[in-house]
Amino acid sequence: MSFALDLLTYVAVAAGAFFYLAGTIGLLRFPDTLTRLHALTKADNLGLGLIVLGLLPHAGGVADALKLVAIWLLVMLSSADAGQLIARAARRAMRRGEPPAP
Amino acid sequence: MIVDAFYAAPAVLILALAVYTTVVRGTFAASVGFLAYGLLLTITWVQLHAVDVALTEAAIGAGLTSLLLVRASHRLRESEAAIRAETPGLPLKLAAGLVAGIVGGGIALAVLTLPEPAPTLAPQVAANLAATGVGNPITAVLMAFRAMDTMLEAIVVLLALVGVWSLAPDRAWGGRQGPRYNADPDGILAFIARVLPPIGIVVGIYIFWIGADHPGGKFQGATVVAAMWLLAMLAGLTDAPPIRRRWVRALLVAGPLAFVAVGIVGVYAAGTFLGYPPDAAKALILVIEFALMPSLAFTLGLVMAGAPERPEEAA
């Protein structure tokens, strides 16, 4: 049982780190604000979710596990909202005919 | 090896970001660099097991200060090109670099030549912790052994707000701080400004309350509460109060005044300013904390709201 939980931790945290890496590469390589946002928010939600999932078996108790899940939910809420706000600002700038941010 | 990299990576990134923040052109980029610098510094404090310092760095250093810088850079945007055109000459740059180098070198020298082991008062704090009635040694230092410093800090925050207020043009004196934000009432900002504050206020009060026995405290908790208030202001759900109001000023000074009052009580009850009679230490610390928390949250919120720029009538 403990081996299975450890395996879950390794696999989930490694997968989470992979999504962060992919998101970072997307942030650096994608051509404009909207696609970069896409890369970043996916990394936040999925990457952090997988890392939290991997850490859950090692949490000190139910309360600590719930705190970890709460952190994930709060980050999802804030990154989704920040993504929306930045995307709207980018769209307004495009409508005004400003050149897209490099 | 891996552990070394774990500690070295943030340190290298912090130095790189410090250089970036200093040399980058454009105040906005520098402000964002400073924000990332503060967050990395937070990670380093956690690695050093200084969670109290990490919380303060995240809340005040990275959060509040960066927000002030971003707002300042926004206000400077109109004139930034003109400012950049007036680059100082080489002698001035060299002189500034020399002064900064001497200060930085002096600090580095002081840290590197500390005797081994470094002088510490930690054993005395641990030995006298029980007398204060609190379980977190950091809180015991801040609220009992070095309470004078904390009192002055609370007053400094108030002075910072006086500084912000003094930026008001005459017509806006006594009026409301910052612009009136008109966000879309059905938009995403209004949504998050409704959803997040109930959670954030609970978290802020939790950080404040847990500070007696665990990492946390009133400054960090008050910053979180102030940020929630600012979020509601940015979404246009509420407005900064006119600064001429009596209750505004009463709330601002209530916390520091309570601190000074407890200090004066100490003169009579324990023979020294800010001395606590042993059996009443915890109670007096709680009085200060509870009086200071709302004042601090209110003060920090108003510091972040910006200079007064609207007469009250135009609300």
Side-chain angles (χ1 to χ4, degrees):
Chain A
M1 187 60 192
S2 127
F3 173 72
L5 287 180
D6 280 352
L7 194 68
L8 172 73
T9 298
Y10 291 135
V11 172
V13 171
F18 168 77
F19 274 103
Y20 268 105
L21 186 66
T24 308
I25 293 173
L27 173 70
L28 294 174
R29 301 292 302 161
F30 278 165
D32 60 49
T33 307
L34 295 182
T35 48
R36 282 197 291 264
L37 266 182
H38 168 79
L40 209 54
T41 45
K42 298 304 162 290
D44 266 10
N45 296 350
L46 211 50
L48 184 63
L50 284 166
I51 288 176
V52 165
L53 181 71
L55 294 181
L56 280 184
H58 298 275
V62 177
D64 284 357
L66 286 177
K67 274 185 208 168
L68 279 173
V69 173
I71 289 170
W72 176 52
L73 291 176
L74 282 173
V75 170
M76 275 215 292
L77 183 67
S78 63
S79 75
D81 286 313
Q84 283 276 332
L85 289 171
I86 295 172
R88 278 170 199 221
R91 194 179 59 182
R92 272 203 302 272
M94 274 190 280
R95 284 199 183 144
R96 283 198 306 266
E98 290 172 16
Chain B
M1 183 61 201
I2 293 175
V3 177
D4 285 346
F6 178 66
Y7 287 102
V12 172
L13 282 173
I14 285 171
L15 287 176
L17 268 170
V19 173
Y20 170 83
T21 305
T22 313
V23 301
V24 70
R25 295 176 86 81
T27 49
F28 182 74
S31 307
V32 174
F34 182 82
L35 171 63
Y37 168 88
L39 290 176
L40 280 168
L41 213 52
T42 303
I43 293 175
T44 299
W45 284 122
V46 172
Q47 287 178 330
L48 294 170
H49 303 288
V51 181
D52 285 273
V53 189
L55 278 171
T56 312
E57 175 60 37
I60 312 265
L64 193 151
T65 312
S66 302
L67 186 65
L68 287 178
L69 289 174
V70 166
R71 295 187 76 119
S73 86
H74 183 75
R75 284 177 79 102
L76 289 174
R77 201 161 57 175
E78 306 283 305
S79 58
E80 190 156 348
I83 293 169
R84 212 179 288 170
E86 290 180 21
T87 38
L90 191 64
L92 190 60
K93 279 185 181 171
L94 281 179
L98 192 68
V99 171
I102 289 173
V103 172
I107 294 173
L109 195 69
V111 171
L112 291 174
T113 56
L114 276 180
E116 198 70 38
T120 174
L121 294 172
Q124 284 95 314
V125 171
N128 293 296
L129 187 58
T132 64
V134 295
N136 179 2
I138 310 288
T139 305
V141 170
L142 291 179
M143 294 311 298
F145 306 133
R146 299 294 307 170
M148 179 70 112
D149 297 359
T150 309
M151 187 182 85
L152 294 178
E153 263 172 42
I155 294 171
V156 162
V157 174
L158 198 56
L159 290 179
L161 181 63
V162 172
V164 170
W165 281 4
S166 68
L167 295 172
D170 279 350
R171 60 171 184 83
W173 176 248
R176 296 173 193 269
Q177 292 178 240
R180 177 74 172 131
Y181 296 96
N182 290 310
D184 175 8
D186 299 319
I188 195 81
L189 191 58
F191 168 75
I192 188 106
R194 285 193 177 91
V195 172
L196 207 53
I199 305 169
I201 290 168
V202 169
V203 170
I205 294 174
Y206 173 78
I207 292 175
F208 160 66
W209 179 250
I210 203 84
D213 293 313
H214 298 281
K218 63 203 162 310
F219 271 96
Q220 301 95 320
T223 313
V224 174
V225 173
M228 293 302 121
W229 187 33
L230 194 73
L231 183 61
M233 278 193 238
L234 288 176
L237 299 179
T238 181
D239 200 0
I243 63 171
R244 74 155 59 88
R245 287 274 188 281
R246 233 359 122 219
W247 68 265
V248 170
R249 301 185 180 189
L251 185 51
L252 288 173
V253 297
L257 268 187
F259 213 146
V260 174
V262 169
I264 293 171
V265 167
V267 175
Y268 294 101
T272 175
F273 186 68
L274 278 173
Y276 306 134
D279 48 345
K282 177 78 186 262
L284 286 176
I285 289 174
L286 277 180
V287 166
I288 299 173
E289 298 265 28
F290 272 92
L292 212 47
M293 167 80 177
S295 287
L296 270 179
F298 195 55
T299 314
L300 293 173
L302 287 181
V303 164
M304 290 191 281
E309 50 187 69
R310 293 169 289 149
E312 187 186 342
E313 303 77 55

